[in-house]
Amino acid sequence: MNEQQLAAVEATGEVFVSAGAGTGKTAVLVERFVRAVCDRGLDVDSILVITYTRRAAGELRTRIRAALHERGRDDLARELDGAWISTIHGFCLRLLKAYPFAAGLDPRFRELDDAQAAVLRGEAFRAALEDFTSAGEPDRLRLLATYGADGLRKMLTGVYETLRSAGRELTLDIGDRPQLEERIEELREAARCLADDAAATENQRTAATQLLALLERGSQPDRLMELSGFKAHGERAQTYEEARSAVEQSALDEVAARDRELLQELLECFAAAFDDAKARESALDFEDLQLRARDLLRAHDDIREREQLRFRSLMVDEFQDTNRLQCELVDLLRRPETEVFYVGDEFQSIYGFRHADVQVFRERRAQAEQLLPLTHNYRSRPEVLAAVNYLFGSHFGGEFQPLAAAAEYPDPVFGHPVELLVADKPSYEGGRVHWRRGEAQAVARRVRELVDAGIATPGEIVLLFAAGTDA
């Protein structure tokens, strides 16, 4: 292990490790665990390790078991089957199964997977909406006519999931949003580019032309919440589709501010219907697991103290992908003398769509008693890291930790180590070519040059994209 890794392994108390990509953080977690049970005599079940995915938890358990076997500690390796190494949801499930009555649960309760939860959620919303509009009150019927049943479902179930994942009350708080006019201008530009694109299909150009005509007739938000009739499929319409969806959302947000009280009432009706449906099935969804575990530890001092005494060491992997509710759970499990080890990298936070909150990472890092870096990268050549350091450093400033190459590469670099092709967005404004199209053309020209010059064959060139739809 390098000096930074050893420092992270040997640190005690509360430790926060900011680990860059490819710097061996899993190796650090494995070594900390192994030393804790082999050298310091901690019981295997006195260490709680939380990571983000079940696959990562399984890999961590496998690597710890192998390391214990290498040390000749087969006895400890066998105990790993009962070790507390899991996702946060796995931990909460195990905790609730240990104390079902205190948590107010049927001991036979089961965990809903995503598909099962989606079915129950949809059925609950339909029942809540039917009850909400059953009296025929004009304001409620207008709400339904304005948003449509599907629009209300998408909006309120999304709000419901976001608030619960943060452990917050189900209260609608419609804050500042991007201005609708800004989104409309972006859509106009994307639609003009698509309408003028000779390589686009007839259906794509027609959709864009018709939408431009609609925008010319006015920009009232009520008329822009549902633009699915102007949808265009295919790679060339990707930017247009993103802009169309953004206008729909922005228009929806403006109208929602006007209808807040009615939306709040429907949200509460849906939440009650969903809770009833899950109770009938004796089932909990992922957020229920976290909320019920949090409430159990909050409400029962004896259980909280028992669990705090159980765990002498807490390790949280991929901390950039946690949220406030999950942090509260960790806090409820610690005593002043509990060893707490956080490790993560804010530049690898990719689970915002699952309600991860990278701001939690930044706040805890700022409060950390010991802040340690891992910057020695074992995955990339120094030429690649030099380019990454330059670009990220100039953009993020002091927030970015420069990475250093730790591995040796005996093979020479093929051609120029790094070339940067830039599609300058402002230069494309008002033109017939959208910046995404310009970016694609620049890449295609460079590939053509490499092939024509005999520097590489097409089969030796790899193109990587941020998303599959970009291809």
Side-chain angles (χ1 to χ4, degrees), residues 397-461:
E399 297 177 11
F400 176 68
Q401 285 185 162
L403 298 171
E408 296 183 358
Y409 297 89
D411 297 329
V413 175
F414 173 77
H416 292 294
V418 178
E419 295 181 27
L420 185 62
L421 305 178
V422 179
D424 185 33
K425 291 184 183 180
S427 68
Y428 288 90
E429 290 181 1
R432 297 185 62 181
V433 178
H434 192 268
W435 71 268
R436 275 190 183 275
R437 177 70 47 198
E439 184 179 61
Q441 290 171 347
V443 172
R445 279 195 301 270
R446 185 58 182 137
V447 169
R448 182 77 268 170
E449 290 169 0
L450 291 171
V451 173
D452 289 347
I455 297 173
T457 66
E460 294 172 326
I461 299 173

Side-chain angles (χ1 to χ4, degrees), residues 107-153:
R108 299 165 299 176
F109 81 87
R110 63 187 178 88
E111 176 187 356
L112 290 172
D113 62 28
D114 287 338
Q116 294 167 334
V119 170
L120 280 186
R121 193 162 50 241
E123 292 173 349
F125 187 82
R126 284 192 292 274
L129 184 59
E130 182 178 344
D131 183 60
F132 181 76
T133 57
S134 60
E137 296 179 19
D139 283 350
R140 299 187 178 198
L141 295 177
R142 177 189 58 78
L143 188 77
L144 177 58
T146 299
Y147 295 90
D150 195 49
L152 285 170
R153 178 186 59 79

Side-chain angles (χ1 to χ4, degrees), residues 6-228:
L6 282 174
V9 167
E10 295 171 355
T12 58
E14 180 178 318
V15 185
F16 194 107
V17 176
S18 186
T23 55
K25 67 178 180 60
T26 303
V28 168
L29 286 166
V30 170
E31 187 65 16
R32 278 187 70 92
F33 191 106
V34 170
R35 290 194 185 190
V37 296
C38 291
D39 301 344
R40 294 166 50 202
L42 270 64
D43 292 335
V44 166
D45 65 357
S46 72
I47 303 173
L48 172 62
V49 184
I50 298 294
T51 190
Y52 196 77
T53 66
R54 289 173 178 168
R55 180 178 177 181
E59 179 189 352
L60 196 57
R61 190 186 299 268
T62 298
R63 290 179 62 172
I64 291 172
R65 179 177 281 113
L68 289 171
H69 281 309
E70 286 178 9
R71 286 196 173 210
R73 296 305 304 270
D74 296 347
D75 55 329
L76 295 176
R78 286 191 293 271
E79 292 181 30
L80 277 183
D81 290 337
W84 293 78
I85 304 171
S86 70
T87 64
I88 190 72
H89 299 100
F91 164 74
C92 292
L93 177 64
R94 188 169 173 180
L95 181 69
L96 293 172
K97 286 290 187 181
Y99 305 104
F101 296 114
L105 295 170
D106 180 341
R108 299 165 299 176
F109 81 87
R110 63 187 178 88
E111 176 187 356
L112 290 172
D113 62 28
D114 287 338
Q116 294 167 334
V119 170
L120 280 186
R121 193 162 50 241
E123 292 173 349
F125 187 82
R126 284 192 292 274
L129 184 59
E130 182 178 344
D131 183 60
F132 181 76
T133 57
S134 60
E137 296 179 19
D139 283 350
R140 299 187 178 198
L141 295 177
R142 177 189 58 78
L143 188 77
L144 177 58
T146 299
Y147 295 90
D150 195 49
L152 285 170
R153 178 186 59 79
K154 289 179 180 177
M155 175 172 59
L156 292 182
T157 57
V159 169
Y160 173 83
E161 292 174 7
T162 299
L163 291 175
R164 293 178 78 237
S165 70
R168 292 167 54 189
E169 297 295 325
L170 294 179
T171 302
L172 280 174
D173 182 13
I174 301 172
D176 294 333
R177 298 282 185 170
Q179 292 297 314
L180 177 59
E181 286 302 321
E182 295 176 16
R183 292 289 178 255
I184 290 174
E185 286 307 310
E186 292 171 359
L187 178 56
R188 277 200 179 100
E189 180 189 354
R192 279 196 298 266
C193 288
L194 186 60
D196 294 341
D197 186 350
T201 66
E202 182 179 347
N203 287 340
Q204 289 172 338
R205 291 196 298 271
T206 298
T209 301
Q210 291 176 347
L211 183 52
L212 283 169
L214 174 70
L215 296 177
E216 290 302 316
R217 294 196 294 271
S219 58
Q220 296 88 348
D222 296 66
R223 299 172 62 240
L224 300 177
M225 293 191 306
E226 176 53 60
L227 299 175
S228 59

Side-chain angles (χ1 to χ4, degrees), residues 460-471:
E460 294 172 326
I461 299 173
V462 177
L463 299 181
L464 302 178
F465 300 90
T469 52
D470 291 342

Side-chain angles (χ1 to χ4, degrees), residues 215-253:
L215 296 177
E216 290 302 316
R217 294 196 294 271
S219 58
Q220 296 88 348
D222 296 66
R223 299 172 62 240
L224 300 177
M225 293 191 306
E226 176 53 60
L227 299 175
S228 59
F230 303 96
K231 185 176 291 187
H233 301 280
E235 179 268 332
R236 290 184 179 276
Q238 179 183 343
T239 301
Y240 166 85
E241 277 299 293
E242 291 173 355
R244 183 184 64 80
S245 297
V247 166
E248 285 183 327
Q249 185 60 55
S250 188
L252 189 65
D253 291 337

